[in-house]
Amino acid sequence: MASTLTSDVLQDDIAMSLARVIAVANSRAHELGVDAVESLITITQRPFDSGLVWRINYGPKDYLGRRGGDLIIEIEPGDVTIKRVMWGQ
């Protein structure tokens, strides 16, 4: 069932920040050959320089018995710039 975003959701700074961050991360993941729909995606915050970055991790959905290969993209939420792109070992 489709629903529209209410004004209180659109005014939620964290929700809007995450929406922008995940859109940029998904675009970069696609450029690197990673299908976001087929990935198990986790999102965390971590300290970076003098602020925080969102860390978007794209891993396989069937991760049991597998090691490495995750794509990790760190994005600064203020200007939505990619700070680091890493591949898991």
Side-chain angles (χ1 to χ4, degrees):
M1 177 170 92
S3 63
T4 58
L5 296 176
T6 59
S7 62
D8 59 326
V9 171
L10 295 173
Q11 293 175 7
D12 184 325
D13 291 337
I14 294 174
M16 292 295 94
S17 174
L18 276 172
R20 288 187 297 272
V21 164
I22 196 73
V24 169
N26 285 347
S27 177
R28 177 57 63 91
H30 178 75
E31 291 171 3
L32 296 171
V34 173
D35 184 358
V37 174
E38 294 300 318
S39 297
L40 178 63
I41 300 172
T42 58
I43 303 170
T44 55
Q45 275 185 321
R46 73 171 207 85
F48 186 86
D49 292 338
S50 61
L52 294 172
V53 292
W54 288 106
R55 176 178 274 191
I56 315 300
N57 189 90
Y58 298 86
K61 285 185 178 178
D62 57 341
Y63 58 88
L64 292 178
R66 295 182 75 175
R67 292 190 59 205
D70 290 13
L71 172 63
I72 302 162
I73 301 173
E74 292 184 340
I75 300 178
E76 196 280 316
D79 59 4
V80 198
T81 56
I82 295 174
K83 296 299 184 185
R84 290 199 301 185
V85 176
M86 301 170 281
W87 287 96
Q89 295 294 321

